[in-house]
Amino acid sequence: MKKNIPFTTLLAIAQQSEYELDTVQEWNLKHIHESRLIQPEKWTLKLRWLNFFGQVFFFLPAIVRLRIGLMVLQPFETSVRKLIIACAVVKLRFLQKKGLKIVAIAGSYGKTSTKHILHHLFSESATLLITPESINTELGISRVILKTLTGRHTLFFIELGEFYPGHIRKLARFIHPDFGILTPIGRQHLMRFGSLEKIAETFHDLLTFFSDAKKILVSESYHDFFTENIQYYGTKNTSPYRIEKTHVTRAGTECTIVTPHGTTDAFTPLFGEQHAVNLLPAFWLAEQLGINTQKILKMVTTLPSIPHRHEPILGMKNVLVLDNGYNTNPDSAQDSLKLLAALDASQRIIVTLGFVELGKDSGAIHEAFGESLAHSVEYAGIIESEATEALLAGFIRAGGKRDHFITGKDQTDVIARLQSVIQPNAVILLEGGYRELYS
Amino acid sequence: MKKIRLAVFFGGISVEHEVSVITGVQLMKHVDRNRYDVTPVYIDKAGKWWTGSDLFESEYYANENLLKPDDLQPFSLSLNPGENAIDVAILCFHGEYGEAGSVQGLLELAHIPYQGPGVIGSAIAFDKIVTRQIFDSEKIPQPKFIWFTHDDWKNSAQEITEKVAALSYPVFVKPARGGSTVGIEKVKSAAELSSAIERVLQYDTRVIIEAEVKDCIEINVSVLGIDGDLRVSVPEQPIKADEFLSYADKYERGGGKKGGMASLNRRIPAPISSRLTLTVQDLARKLFHLFDCSGVVRIDFFVNPSEETVFVTELNTIPGSMSFYLWEASGLPYKELINELVEIAFEKEKRRSALIQTFETNILKKV
């Protein structure tokens, strides 16, 4: 007898796809006869309601039950959402009048890392609040404003998501930031936007929000997209805020921080040039707010690792696992490979699924990434997906050995298959999250 | 080539008995058997000395009454030169029984070379109070501390309580002699002090109380060598699960007791700048020299990464797992570390025997 996908599994996939019904339907067609139970990452109120509808209409196919649930919830959800956002705006404007400063952080990648870094570096200089985890939508931000933000807070770091063209503009109008930070642009959500130019346009909306260009710091990765005279940060000589002389070891990263006001050496326990670059907005913001940058520099030495952003996990026999499992894209993955090359290691291994949401360019991008892997790692541990073939083709073309391309059905399976080849002092990079949605 | 007869000593009457067994068994597993004939010498919890082939396997200890083990042969040493079937010894004791100088003295009397500091170095490094007093006299930066004895506490509890308050809470109450954080109490207020001291007095009659050093992380390095010929390992940062590194945290986390210290979660190298690493390593070298150490020693520090300040807390003359994980991370495999320890033992003995210890002439003949 053919089995059917459990409704809970479908709910988990719906959550992973941010409730995009077409994506869920496509996944459902591929896996309809699997009985695998996947639990949702978090049983939110919405999921619990959907589950309730699922129980009521138990006699219908799972995907139909999900569709009904979403249909019933939508009008209700829309009105509640509007009410929550309206209340949040009132509270936010009131606190802004009383002196609360808001810093908006947007960009394709590095925004959560930047937010965590800012949080630690300013923790002794201000009473501050950050939007937790990766909350970055109107509703998510509104909930934080209503639940956590108080009159005691003087600085509020808000991460802005970019789920559709115009989203950043909408969020900026909602939060009225005093300062803005644009972290690097990359081919994240390429499928939704169509092109890198369209992604850049969306982020440009944050720039146009500020009449004074000094109120925003922009990653140098936008240089080819923006024409305005703005302050860039990164590693190039043309960026007034930049990192130089980066040296990465297993202890952390040493670098020189250059700003228009001076040059200073720094050490951070975080790994890689990309994280050293993520420090720069803090120095810029400290200057804007009149906070002593020496104070910030001291805090840099004690930065805790950021969950799933090149987070070190220490294995036996000095094996270092770098968990960059939150997400990845073809551009940020190059930073990861650069970091892997910089670290002292007996052997370099990657575990990845590749990239998601790339649209029509997926094949070519994955082949190119496969080539990069052949040059960067001894073993490529690949979680099987639609991208696997393209990755393998690129890997072999660039001289990678077939038996060094090890595949498995999920991350655990790949790691188990790699066990026998892992040497003492190896560095293993877990690049990009594994989600059943993409398997 | 004739094999070197190597005896590995471990166990002993100590609260760290099991940790010593782990260090000993782990070391024997890594010994180069082509080079050495290994004799395990196990001292049970009752203080009896044993040897036997069962002692190579960790499973033996898991299933045995360690106060009265079975199927072993008694082991004894002769103090007469040339009568022992041992060329060299590696001591894997943790705790006062074998780490504080007495076994070292015994081996010297038995003419058996061993790794690690001699009687004096072992004894002073084992006593936290004496160690701290030497730090004081040498102006080595250290956390503020006070010390007292059992009788001092009985007679002047009020005065001691006032002195502790002057250190400002929280403070750490520690037995003067002991390792592995056994018996150490973190006291957050005056109300908790008295009972904590009473508990610590169950482990030792001498107590040291030290102030917490704010905004610091714990950093350890290992030093290997003899006299001026020293190497310092990369630093490690033990990762604490809780607020304080307890015995269970130190030895039972990760891979459990089987893995010993090596299964402790740690970051190697520690997340500190290269400049601060050099400061710690230089200070470690100085301390090794100051305490007349030899062999492999682990030195524990508190460092403030922001201010780049360093405070020394203690020296472990026989570190858990011989700090082999620090040496592996510094490019020296455990097998080679053991070879170096044996060479250091012979070198130390060579230097000692080259000294004038007696006169050949019998001046009594002139009487």
Side-chain angles (χ1 to χ4, degrees), chain B residues 340-351:
Chain B
E340 292 220 14
L341 290 177
V342 170
E343 279 165 28
I344 289 166
F346 283 130
E347 178 61 25
K348 188 166 64 127
E349 181 60 18
K350 195 173 118 192
R351 292 183 189 188

Side-chain angles (χ1 to χ4, degrees), chain A residues 250-251 254 269 271 298 301 314, chain B residues 266-267 269-271 274 306-307:
Chain A
R250 286 185 174 213
E254 315 227 13
F271 290 105
K298 284 184 177 177
T301 59
L314 305 152
Chain B
R266 52 172 62 86
R267 186 160 167 183
S274 50
S306 306
E307 303 297 335

Side-chain angles (χ1 to χ4, degrees), chain A residues 250-252 254 267 269-271 298-299 301-302 312 314 316-318 425, chain B residues 239 262-263 266-275 305-307 328-329:
Chain A
R250 286 185 174 213
E254 315 227 13
F267 167 81
L270 302 181
F271 290 105
K298 284 184 177 177
M299 298 296 284
T301 59
T302 55
L314 305 152
M316 297 294 282
K317 296 193 179 294
N318 215 32
N425 297 313
Chain B
I239 308 289
S263 62
R266 52 172 62 86
R267 186 160 167 183
I268 305 174
I272 53 172
S273 68
S274 50
R275 192 169 53 197
S306 306
E307 303 297 335
E328 279 190 341

Side-chain angles (χ1 to χ4, degrees), chain B residues 8-21 41-50 66-67 75-77 90-107 114 117-119 122-123 125-127 176-180 203-204 317-318:
Chain B
V8 179
F9 288 73
F10 55 96
I13 305 170
S14 162
V15 287
E16 296 169 79
H17 182 95
E18 284 84 353
V19 187
S20 168
V21 170
V41 180
Y42 168 61
I43 293 96
D44 69 23
K45 285 187 170 180
K48 286 193 175 167
W49 292 45
W50 304 100
L66 301 182
L67 275 160
F75 180 87
S76 58
L77 276 177
I90 292 186
L91 305 183
C92 298
F93 295 111
H94 302 307
E96 188 167 5
Y97 183 91
E99 203 178 350
S102 48
V103 176
Q104 286 77 358
L106 177 69
L107 292 177
Y114 60 93
V119 176
S122 299
F126 195 75
D127 188 305
R177 288 162 294 211
S180 298
Y203 291 98
D204 201 347
T317 55
I318 305 180

Side-chain angles (χ1 to χ4, degrees), chain A residues 250-310:
Chain A
R250 286 185 174 213
T253 307
E254 315 227 13
C255 63
T256 302
I257 292 174
V258 181
T259 76
H261 304 97
T263 297
T264 183
D265 290 337
F267 167 81
T268 171
L270 302 181
F271 290 105
E273 190 176 64
Q274 78 290 352
H275 274 316
V277 168
N278 287 339
L279 302 174
L280 292 166
F283 285 85
W284 166 77
L285 189 62
E287 288 167 6
Q288 298 294 316
L289 295 169
I291 291 169
N292 186 349
T293 50
Q294 280 306 312
K295 212 169 170 180
I296 301 294
L297 186 66
K298 284 184 177 177
M299 298 296 284
V300 164
T301 59
T302 55
L303 264 166
S305 44
I306 306 161
H308 311 300
R309 271 84 173 176
H310 299 120

